[in-house]
Structures are given as C-alpha cells and as structure tokens.
Amino acid sequence: RLPPAAALAAASLGEGGSDVWLAVLEAPCDVDALCQGLPGALRCRSRSPKLCTVSLEGAKEEAEAWLAGEPAPVLALERAMVAWSDAPPDAAQGVAAASECAAGTQRGALGWGLDRLDALPGSGPLDGAYETPSGSAGAGVHVFVLDTGVRATHEDLAGRVTAGFGLPRHGGGSDDDNGHGTHCAALASGTVFGAAKCSQIVPVKVLGADGLGTFEDVLEGLEWVAENGVAPGVVSMSLAGPVSQAIGTAIQRLDRLGFLVVVAAGNQGSDACRFSPAANRLAFAVGSTDLMAPDGLSESPYVDVRSGFSNFGDCVDVYAPGSSIRSASHESDSAETVRSGTSMSCPLVAGIAALYFGMHPRSTPADARAAILQGAVSLPQGAFAPDLSPRLASIAMLEACADGGTRADCVLGPWSSWSGECPAASSSCGEHWQGRRREVLRPARCGGRACGETEQSRPCRRNDAAVRYPPCTEFYPTQWFGSTDPETRPAPAFDLEGQRVRLTPSGRGGFEVCLGEAGDGPLEALGANRVRLPLGDDDFAEIVLGGEGSRFPFYSESHRAVYVGSNGFVTFSQGDNSWSAATGRSRDPGLGAEAQRLGLPIGNHWARPRISVLFQDLDPTSAGEGAGVFYEVLTFRGLTVDPRLVITWDRVPIWGFTEEVCTMQLVLHLSGSPRAGEVEMWWGAASGRYLPVVGVSPGGLTSTALGSTFEETNFFPDAGRCPVASAGAQPTLPAGLPQGTGEATF
C-alpha cells in the first residue's frame, strides 16, 4: 500500500522548499571536508561518517551542477525518497499474558507464525509448541528495530528494551505513536510472541506517527547503529521505498561492521527487486507465507502458500509467516493486535538470526545468512511461482555447535534419476513434470557452506527432448469477444445479457461448463450484509474469508483470500490492476511477457489464476448513486449449509463511456459447501467496448500448460444447457445499495 502522493511530495522536500539529496562517498571518507567544500547554497543536513553518506539540501540545479563537476569522493547522488512501513492498521485488540524471559519450550499462548518456525521438514506445520535449539534464546544479542519506535513498557518485552534513538523531526525519543514498531519488536524478542525471547530490543525511530519517513531518516538511523551498536547484531527493517543506491551502500557497510540486516520484501504483490531495501544485495529479504488446506477442508493437513500481498522473485532470500500475525500493540502495556504483512515476517527471521548469534557470538553476518538458509525448509514451487527455490525459515534445523567448533561445508550426494512417467504427446495433454532429489551426506557445521538445492523439477522430457503436449482446453474454458484477424478468427457475437454459466470442477484439475436458463434476475439476492468495495479506477481489493476452514478451491489449490478487480475479474495468488486482458496492456510491465512470446492475444488473462467475469476496462469511480462493486458471504441455502461468496458489479460504467454500464454477478461456492469449488456467473446489462474476456485461467502461463497453438474455448453457443439453482433471485438489482462493513483489506 503506497503512501498518498501528497505525502510522497512532502517527504521529498526539505525546509524552505529546497530539495534533499543523499550523497554516497567512497570509503574511507571525510564527510566534514566534503560539507565544508560545498558550493553556492548547498549545505549538509546530516552526516554519516561510519557509513560514508551525507544528506544535502539545495536546489536541484545546484546539486546537478555540483555533481557534473565530478567531486572526487562522491560515488552517487539521489533524491531522499520516501520510505513507509507498508502495513495495514491494527485489526484486533486483546490482552497478552506476560511471562519472564525464558529459553526452552513454549506452550499455551502461541501464535501460528511462531509455532510454524520450529516444524521439521515432512512433519505437520503446527504442534502447539515452540522449541528453540539447545534451549537458546538470543541472550546478549541486540536487535535494532528501525521503525516507528517501540513501547518500551509493554509487558511482553519484559524490560529488555534498551535506550535507542529517535529523530527530532519525528518527535524525538523512541516511543511508538503508530504501533507498527512495537508489533515488530515483540515478534523478534517478545516473551510470548517473539522468536528470540532473551535478546535485547534497541528502538531506532526513523518513521513518524503516520508510518512515513524518508531514506534520509533511515540513513541517520543506520548511522546511529554503526556508531553505537555492538557486533554481532541484527538490524530489522520492516519498511520499504523506491530502489536506493544510498541504502544499498549503507547496508553493505553495516554488514562489514558485523550487523546482519534483515528486511521486509514488501507488500505490493510484485517483484521485490523493485523496492529498497529488499533489492539490495546484502539485505536479507523476507517474504510472507500463510497456511491453508489444499482441498479446502479444515481437517486436511495445512500447506504453506505465499501470502497474496507478498513480494517475490530473485531478491527474496527466505519466507516466514506473515498473514494474520498476533503480537504486542502500543495501545497499552498489555494490549495485543493482529497484523499482516512482510513487516511481520521480517522480525521473526531477525529473531532467528539473534538465536544464531547467541549460539555463535564470534560468527559473521555471512555465517548467519548461510545457517538460516541451510536450516530453511524447501517449499513447493507451484504455490510460490515464479520463485525457483522458495524456502521457509525454520529453527528446527538451526545449527547449535559449540563456540570454537570446526567449520565444515555441506556435502551432497549425486542426483537421482528423473522420476515420473512422461506419456507420449499423442496420448495426453496439459502439463507433465519430472523430479529428482539428492541426499545430504553431511550437513554444514559452524557457518560452513550451505547445502543448496536438494530437489529439482522440470517439464517432461522423452529421449532427452522436451515433450510438447497439446493444451487441455476443456480444463480452462474461456471466451474472448475480440479478434486479431476478422477474416480467419471473427469475434463471437456479444450477447451476454441474461446468460448464466456454471463451471463445475472436473476431477481432472479443470472445469466442465454448462449454460443455465437465461433470466433477468441475478443468481443471488443482495442481502442486508452486503459490503461495498471502495475501488478506484484500475484497482483491486482483498477479501479474506473468515473461519478456520473457509477457503475457495481453485485449480487444485485452496485460497483464503480473493482479490476483486475493478475491471471485472477476481484473482487468487495476488491482486492485479490490469485494465485489459490483452497482452502487454497492464500497469505491471512484467505481466504477459510469456504470452507475448507465445503470440497469445489475451496474455494478461492467462498470466495469473483468475476468473474473468467480464474482463475489460471499467471505471467504478464513475458509477452512479447506489452503484458499484459489492460482496457478501452467505452461509445457508434454506436449511442447508452452503457457504458461498457473492461478488456483484452493479451498473459499473465502461471507462470513457459513462452511459454504458455493465452489471454481472459471480458466485464462488466455498469449502464446506456440497458444491465446493463450483463457479457461477450471470450477466445483466453487458457492454463490450474493449474486447472483453469471460472465463477461467490457472495462471502460471507456460507453453507446456497452454500449448504453442492454444485457442480459447467458446462458451456460447458451444456449451450445453444445465439447471442453475438460484436462491431468492430478484427481477432487477436494487436501485441503491448503502455502504456496508466487512472483512476486506485495501
């Protein structure tokens, strides 16, 4: 969630309307000499002699002229860009029981995230206990929390908050007037909520009460750590901003001083390499995970999945729990709250690093990184694509060798043969994969080189050549009301009004389609508990399904979160603000690249797990009174339990054509329903200005999945007829819907 534009502008300006700049100097450096030799009205605002950075204030033209003169010690100059905490507000309040700092096993009051950290590979993820290696607790290790400050008197921190640092422009002192910093600090070191229960918290307040600051503030905080911290130590940074060379250089120099810098990967559902500090090479970036039942049943064993909001990609080093994490609140000395974000995952891993440094006080940041990665659990690539080797942080295998032990690298056995049958292309369709493994003959010890990959997968090969399987088009029925060539592929007739479609999971991983009886009314009446989603143009909102077993099964995975797009679709792996199904027409320049390579005209539709109800450029901000996008969760159908999520786009205008509106409804049958996984769609008013798409996509666009000659499967008139159950259908949608309340995040 990016800060508002006004905050961005204000954060980039210094006093008197002059710009603020960050200069990175060669090390060793003399920051005083540089500041004394500045030309014109340029002046130094702050100096970081340990990290060799300074912040300058002055007009852009003066800064550019100074840089053009190639001042000898200056490596780079950049604007002091905004940084933000990137986390939602408190979601719940309660009371946390206090306990003394103690090592060993914790039972009782235990959050799922902490419980997940000590699970062995292959075991159940949750056992109601948290046990650290050899009774370690991070005693003597300092965790520097760069954030909004910390409530030092909170009972979960049990007097283990030492004197810290606060910028005068954020009120001075290190008290927390936001809540984000206290929540994070307790996850690293809290007696109830923390991973390293005897480590010391050092608050470094670089963000204000609104959760905002600048990278100038962050650099001053990092300089304070460099000047005052005792190595080895851990720096926890649950914040984000644009890519910054100044921040990257500071992290590298802190690393050389003996501080492991653990950072949040970011909550944009995007490539973590687009944000600092996650993009910086020596920042140990942490993504967020959630747990869900693979088949939507609450009694099923849970599996790890990437949180929909979490950033991903090559810049993410490891994942940790980050969805619905309970920890301390700044509201009182006993208050607690639930938050979600990579901001929560980061301090859990910072706590793991504190455990390691507590066991190995002579180790380096490189040793700690290798140990955490070596002890991490391999995750299934499918739920974490496009990450190639995702790993979940764990303390179960965290090495606890005695101080002074012999360093030894990991030794791996040979790879096994590729497993899995590869049928002939003439007898099968869709994706087929093979896997292989290798054993760990000797684990790394005492900071030795980590083991690396022990499992690999690849698309099927026969006679050492890749097999190109034809697409299984019945698995993902989709109809595109457009045309790349009107002569060879004329666009289907656009006549959706009153149509109803049912998609039933087929047991082969796809859907079977039938058409319901046409009718004027929606599939579901809109009830009193409907919620209006405050969607902007090209926007999306997250709906988190409540209840322990409440999920929506879709293409062999079960989802707790549904992302509703303003442009007539829902996604599951993450939110999407694409304004067109067409390849390349998205605000995310990386979306649809594979589709373009394959020559697919609607690559944005295929790029993510998606249900396109009427995917085209819509504009809910132009909707009339009472119109917009709404959702409601229904539990019963008569006396029968039939949980389902109902999403309605009510009279939403086509972008640029406010007089043309679209009305459609999507019903998702949730786990616990006798029709779990079933999808129903209905269209009232329907306009097709922008070549819309209707259908389902499994995501993970590859040539093996869709086939190099893939063509869409038409609904109309190809699909046969089927009865559609409709409870309480009304002749027309209500003229006005009041604002509701519900469990949605934006």
Side-chain angles (χ1 to χ4, degrees), residues 542-602:
E542 179 187 36
I543 298 173
V544 180
L545 302 172
E548 185 64 25
S550 186
R551 302 287 192 270
F552 178 67
F554 186 69
Y555 280 110
S556 303
E557 293 198 17
S558 189
H559 301 274
R560 187 183 177 193
V562 176
Y563 299 87
V564 181
S566 62
N567 291 322
F569 58 79
V570 300
T571 54
F572 299 98
S573 60
Q574 61 196 70
D576 188 358
N577 57 9
S578 298
W579 68 86
S580 171
T583 298
R585 296 183 181 179
S586 168
R587 295 194 187 283
D588 186 342
L591 247 175
E594 179 70 1
Q596 196 160 9
R597 188 181 72 80
L598 295 172
L600 298 178
I602 55 170

Side-chain angles (χ1 to χ4, degrees), residues 81-150:
M81 296 173 286
V82 74
W84 57 89
S85 62
D86 208 10
D90 291 359
Q93 290 291 333
V95 176
S99 62
E100 295 297 324
C101 160
T105 303
Q106 176 187 355
R107 299 185 187 276
L110 185 66
W112 82 266
L114 204 59
D115 193 351
R116 184 69 187 95
L117 287 187
D118 69 344
L120 286 165
S123 66
L126 305 178
D127 62 1
Y130 174 71
E131 184 174 3
T132 58
S134 304
S136 58
V141 180
H142 291 84
V143 180
F144 299 86
V145 180
L146 270 72
D147 214 294
T148 62
V150 173

Side-chain angles (χ1 to χ4, degrees), residues 553-723:
F554 186 69
Y555 280 110
S556 303
E557 293 198 17
S558 189
H559 301 274
R560 187 183 177 193
V562 176
Y563 299 87
V564 181
S566 62
N567 291 322
F569 58 79
V570 300
T571 54
F572 299 98
S573 60
Q574 61 196 70
D576 188 358
N577 57 9
S578 298
W579 68 86
S580 171
T583 298
R585 296 183 181 179
S586 168
R587 295 194 187 283
D588 186 342
L591 247 175
E594 179 70 1
Q596 196 160 9
R597 188 181 72 80
L598 295 172
L600 298 178
I602 55 170
N604 285 345
H605 167 75
W606 298 113
R608 288 179 176 153
R610 183 190 315 269
I611 299 174
S612 293
V613 186
L614 197 62
F615 186 0
Q616 62 177 332
D617 200 355
L618 304 176
D619 184 10
T621 64
S622 300
E625 183 178 355
V629 185
F630 303 85
Y631 85 94
E632 184 174 5
V633 178
L634 304 177
T635 305
F636 295 93
R637 190 183 297 278
L639 298 178
T640 303
V641 176
D642 184 13
R644 54 207 186 276
L645 173 64
V646 181
I647 302 166
T648 306
W649 289 260
D650 175 20
R651 292 164 287 154
V652 178
I654 301 283
W655 187 86
F657 299 89
T658 55
E659 72 284 357
E660 296 186 34
V661 299
C662 295
T663 295
M664 57 270 194
Q665 189 175 79
L666 171 69
V667 179
L668 305 179
H669 292 266
L670 307 178
S671 56
S673 167
R675 302 161 64 184
E678 192 172 292
V679 176
E680 294 181 278
M681 291 184 274
W682 165 84
W683 297 268
S687 179
R689 282 276 183 176
Y690 295 117
L691 308 181
V693 169
V694 174
V696 292
S697 162
L701 182 67
T702 65
S703 55
T704 351
L706 299 180
S708 58
T709 59
F710 175 75
E711 291 184 3
E712 296 76 34
T713 302
N714 288 343
F715 286 108
F716 313 104
D718 299 351
R721 288 286 173 183
C722 61

Side-chain angles (χ1 to χ4, degrees), residues 244-419:
S244 165
Q245 183 174 342
I247 294 295
T249 302
I251 289 173
Q252 292 175 22
R253 290 169 179 173
L254 266 179
D255 187 90
R256 287 199 292 267
L257 292 173
F259 297 93
L260 177 65
V261 182
V262 184
V263 307
N267 299 340
Q268 289 71 38
S270 183
D271 187 347
C273 295
R274 296 169 55 190
F275 303 92
S276 279
N280 306 116
R281 184 173 59 86
L282 290 181
F284 199 60
V286 188
S288 171
T289 65
D290 197 356
L291 282 180
M292 61 177 57
D295 61 0
L297 301 177
S298 59
E299 63 268 20
S300 301
Y302 284 101
V303 296
D304 300 288
V305 298
R306 184 173 61 225
S307 302
F309 52 77
S310 177
N311 286 352
F312 51 83
D314 292 342
C315 290
V316 176
D317 294 286
V318 74
Y319 284 87
S323 291
S324 302
I325 303 298
R326 186 171 294 276
S327 185
S329 167
H330 74 308
E331 295 290 340
S332 74
D333 287 347
S334 61
E336 63 184 51
T337 186
V338 175
R339 290 174 179 256
S340 295
T342 57
S343 287
M344 287 62 257
S345 311
C346 167
L348 287 174
V349 174
I352 295 176
L355 293 177
Y356 181 82
F357 281 137
M359 293 185 290
H360 311 290
R362 298 180 183 178
S363 58
T364 66
D367 296 333
R369 273 192 297 273
I372 295 172
L373 290 174
Q374 176 178 298
V377 178
S378 295
L379 292 165
Q381 184 181 354
F384 289 81
D387 293 5
L388 296 177
S389 302
R391 303 181 71 83
L392 180 73
S394 172
I395 64 170
M397 303 293 289
L398 192 66
E399 179 191 22
C401 76
D403 186 30
T406 303
R407 180 187 178 105
D409 294 338
C410 170
V411 177
L412 292 168
W415 286 105
S416 67
S417 300
W418 289 101
S419 64

Side-chain angles (χ1 to χ4, degrees), residues 472-477 503-513 553-556 677-679 696 698:
C472 303
T473 52
E474 70 273 16
F475 279 21
Y476 25 76
L503 296 91
T504 305
S506 70
R508 294 172 297 175
F511 287 94
E512 295 176 355
V513 172
F554 186 69
Y555 280 110
S556 303
E678 192 172 292
V679 176
V696 292

